[in-house]
Amino acid sequence: MTPHFETRNACRVFRSATGDVRALDGISLAVERGAFLAVTGPSGRGKTTLLALLGALDRPTSGLVLFDGEDLGGASEPHRSRVRRRLGIVFQSSPMIERLPLWENVTYPLVPRGVPTRERRRLAKALLERVGIVGRDAARPEELSGGERQRVGVARALAADPEAILADEPTSDLDRGTAEAVVALLREFHASGRTVIVATHDPVLEALATRTLRLG
Amino acid sequence: MRKLAAIARTGLVAVLLHPLRSGATLLCLVAVLLPYVAATGVARGLADAADTSIRAGADVYVTGLRFGRPAPVPLAMIETVRTVPGVRDVFPRIVGEVALGADRIPAVVVGVPAGRVPDSARFVEGRLFAPDAGNELVLGAELARRLSTGVGARIPPFYRSRSGERVSKVVGVFRSDLPLWEANLVFCSFETAAHIFDQEGLATSLLVACEPGYRDAVVAALRRLPPPGQPHGGTGSGPPAPPAPPGLPAEGAGLPAEAARGAEPGPVTPVVTTRDDLFALLPRGMSHLEGIFQIHFVLAFAALIPLLMVTAGLGLSGRRREAALMKATGWMTDEVLLQAMVESLVLSLLGASTAVLLAWGWLDLLDGSGIAGIFLPGATATPGFPVPFRLGPVPALLGFVVSFAIVSAGTLYSTWRAATAAPALALR
């Protein structure tokens, strides 16, 4: 059976003024559909870079990154965009479009799919409630704390009903109670038979994973 | 379609999301478009006013040439012209320039026989000049303002005449909402104008009205006329001088014989100009002024293009992050570009609309202060009279298209660069 995600000897080298930085060095892995993979390891060992490659956010310098058996590294940009539409990505820095209301931010991935505004607003409200942000769907990102931004990021990743979630430290900025809510969401998502890949230092998430990949 | 509408809506929202970028771009657009829209509005308004004047004027104008240059025509020609089949009416007119007041303000003197005042010139504060009274003047509103004078005021002699200078009386002032042609005008009887210019027995033009359908025949007949005789002697090659028409002085009347002999010129070659000829000349004159303005405008515009492009690309790092985030969440590059294009479209539309609105205020409420003088020689920086203008759709549309092209160039390039980069790199 074709793995959902696969890397074969994938390398990613960043060029800088001080010399090349080898962020990922010959990683090979296969993640089956419906798996829960926790990527762990000290900071700076390439967890975020690996997630970026798997999420078609970046291309490997060498080696292969496959999604459903298709090479993402050599794929065209429209094809990579179509792959990203099937994924929900939680970013560590929780980037958002500033000054745009939370409900718009959460459902921004649905805009190119032509989902009506009223439907988007209803969905965003429900997702925000699920991550513990109640009655603030019209608030602006600037008004949120780091933890709240993180939760909005999780809600956005879930908005398009993706077939896999790639989450980069989804509980790092959260208090225990909120972190548990996010963990519960990921567990629920995984329980529906979909793939979860998280880069984390959180032992709770590690314990939840069906498989752990330790980098470094 | 729903998808396009949804993306377009986000483009509209993006205008409000970036007030600094949108505001700066709008400001640049308005700075560029406003003079263009206002100037083309004045040019078109003047063309309309000229068109109206030509329509209200005579069917045919007879003027004179001497040494190949414009010369007055003798009044003797009036009777000759009147005998041409198809001519319904003919009367003389004097149009000349004088300088008034201590500041030597230029003014155009127009003299017509008392019974021939056009309807459009009847709207005056005070009254029109009386048929038999000498040196009664009706002034244009702008001229009266600049001379600080009004109805009932007297103007000391401002000309030299062999028959003696007289004090003139202002009996009327044109209402200021009349066409600007009357703004720097001194309107008076034909006799007064002849006296002011010391040109008895001459007119600058004869105005001919034709019977319906006879105009071409009249023109052909007038062009076959031999040059008229000398204005004061009647010994030239033209027909003998008839008695002066009623209400007009006899030729040479009041002139010392020696002076008349000394001023005796050769025959004048008649020049016949039809209303159609004037219509044909009108666009050429307006295009010349418009062309001069547009050359200057294009140079200024070219200098502003880089500024506008920089302004449109303001907040480049923010735009880069937004585009990367959109790409990371599944937007296609063309969808990101479409959003940016809608944003540019809205800004251009706003810029063009604001420019048209401000141009209207500038021309209507401020009388085109600062720009009317480009098209109206003699007008001051603050004309003080309603400058005719027409804000047509073509300049507004052209302004919008040019704005859109420039704003798009500034926006789309930076967005395309951001949208084609790896999202992970842009979001780091």
Side-chain angles (χ1 to χ4, degrees), chain B residues 220-235:
Chain B
L222 289 176
R223 284 183 175 147
R224 283 196 303 270
L225 282 179
Q230 278 94 335
H232 302 300
T235 55

Side-chain angles (χ1 to χ4, degrees), chain A residues 60-125:
Chain A
T61 311
S62 63
L64 287 178
V65 177
L66 307 170
F67 177 78
D68 271 345
E70 286 184 54
D71 178 24
L72 288 181
S76 66
E77 194 48 43
H79 181 75
R80 289 161 60 81
S81 286
R82 279 192 287 274
V83 168
R84 286 193 288 265
R85 274 189 190 183
R86 294 162 63 184
L87 307 175
I89 299 171
V90 181
F91 301 91
Q92 190 175 8
S93 57
S94 308
M96 272 185 252
I97 298 176
E98 301 303 320
R99 288 187 286 273
L100 195 66
L102 294 189
W103 73 266
E104 284 256 49
N105 261 296
V106 166
T107 55
Y108 223 56
L110 301 179
V111 170
R113 299 174 198 203
V115 178
T117 306
R118 188 177 296 175
E119 172 68 13
R120 283 174 50 211
R121 187 148 196 171
R122 190 197 58 73
L123 178 67
K125 193 174 161 71

Side-chain angles (χ1 to χ4, degrees), chain B residues 23-69:
Chain B
T25 307
L26 263 182
L27 207 65
C28 277
L29 279 179
V30 170
V32 167
L33 290 181
L34 179 57
Y36 170 73
V37 175
T40 46
V42 173
R44 276 161 179 71
L46 286 174
D48 287 353
D51 187 277
T52 307
S53 293
I54 293 170
R55 278 182 207 287
D59 295 324
V60 177
Y61 298 80
V62 180
T63 53
L65 272 186
R66 183 176 283 137
F67 297 118
R69 292 171 177 274

Side-chain angles (χ1 to χ4, degrees), chain A residues 102 124-139 144 148 151-152:
Chain A
L102 294 189
K125 193 174 161 71
L127 286 168
L128 286 168
E129 281 177 6
R130 284 178 73 187
V131 295
I133 298 176
V134 181
R136 296 184 65 193
D137 47 312
L144 302 183
E148 286 172 324
R151 283 183 278 160
V152 173

Side-chain angles (χ1 to χ4, degrees), chain B residues 25-324:
Chain B
T25 307
L26 263 182
L27 207 65
C28 277
L29 279 179
V30 170
V32 167
L33 290 181
L34 179 57
Y36 170 73
V37 175
T40 46
V42 173
R44 276 161 179 71
L46 286 174
D48 287 353
D51 187 277
T52 307
S53 293
I54 293 170
R55 278 182 207 287
D59 295 324
V60 177
Y61 298 80
V62 180
T63 53
L65 272 186
R66 183 176 283 137
F67 297 118
R69 292 171 177 274
V73 287
L75 295 178
M77 273 199 79
I78 291 176
E79 284 312 311
T80 312
V81 172
R82 191 167 280 148
T83 58
V84 172
V87 169
R88 181 160 46 86
D89 190 17
V90 54
F91 67 90
R93 184 177 70 178
I94 289 176
V95 178
E97 196 172 320
V98 292
L100 295 173
D103 295 334
R104 310 286 296 159
I105 297 167
V108 175
V109 173
V110 175
V112 294
R116 310 295 187 152
V117 176
D119 289 343
S120 62
R122 291 184 183 278
F123 301 99
V124 293
E125 175 196 338
R127 62 173 174 82
L128 285 171
F129 48 83
D132 302 324
N135 281 52
E136 286 194 344
L137 311 179
V138 180
L139 302 185
E142 166 71 353
L143 185 61
R145 186 181 68 83
R146 291 174 74 181
L147 290 171
S148 303
T149 189
V151 177
R154 293 185 183 276
I155 299 177
F158 55 90
Y159 57 90
R160 298 293 300 273
S161 176
R162 287 169 295 180
S163 55
E165 295 82 25
R166 300 175 203 155
V167 171
S168 304
K169 184 180 179 188
V170 179
V171 295
V173 173
F174 284 106
R175 270 175 33 185
S176 61
D177 57 348
L178 282 169
L180 82 149
W181 310 114
E182 290 163 10
N184 265 3
L185 179 72
V186 176
F187 196 48
C188 58
S189 68
F190 184 86
E191 296 83 352
T192 301
H195 172 69
I196 287 171
F197 292 107
D198 197 10
Q199 296 288 336
E200 310 288 342
L202 295 171
T204 50
S205 54
L206 304 181
L207 279 64
V208 182
C210 304
E211 297 291 354
Y214 276 82
R215 198 196 60 189
D216 291 345
V218 168
V219 168
L222 289 176
R223 284 183 175 147
R224 283 196 303 270
L225 282 179
Q230 278 94 335
H232 302 300
T235 55
S237 56
L248 292 173
E251 290 190 23
L255 284 178
E258 281 175 34
R261 270 200 303 277
E264 202 169 86
V268 172
T269 307
V271 177
V272 180
T273 306
T274 66
R275 181 181 283 149
D276 290 345
D277 295 334
L278 293 178
F279 278 131
L281 285 170
L282 181 60
R284 207 187 302 169
M286 294 316 295
S287 299
H288 176 68
L289 288 170
E290 232 178 306
I292 291 171
F293 174 80
Q294 283 183 359
I295 286 170
H296 287 91
F297 176 76
V298 165
L299 290 175
F301 193 64
L304 272 169
I305 285 176
L307 174 67
L308 203 53
M309 289 180 77
V310 167
T311 317
L314 260 183
L316 207 58
S317 63
R319 187 184 288 282
R320 195 161 174 257
R321 275 183 77 79
E322 278 175 23

Side-chain angles (χ1 to χ4, degrees), chain A residues 84-85 99 108 112 114, chain B residues 2-3 17 327 330 335 339:
Chain A
R84 286 193 288 265
R85 274 189 190 183
R99 288 187 286 273
Y108 223 56
Chain B
R2 182 180 279 180
K3 169 185 149 180
L17 279 185
K327 286 297 298 286
E335 290 163 350
Q339 190 212 45

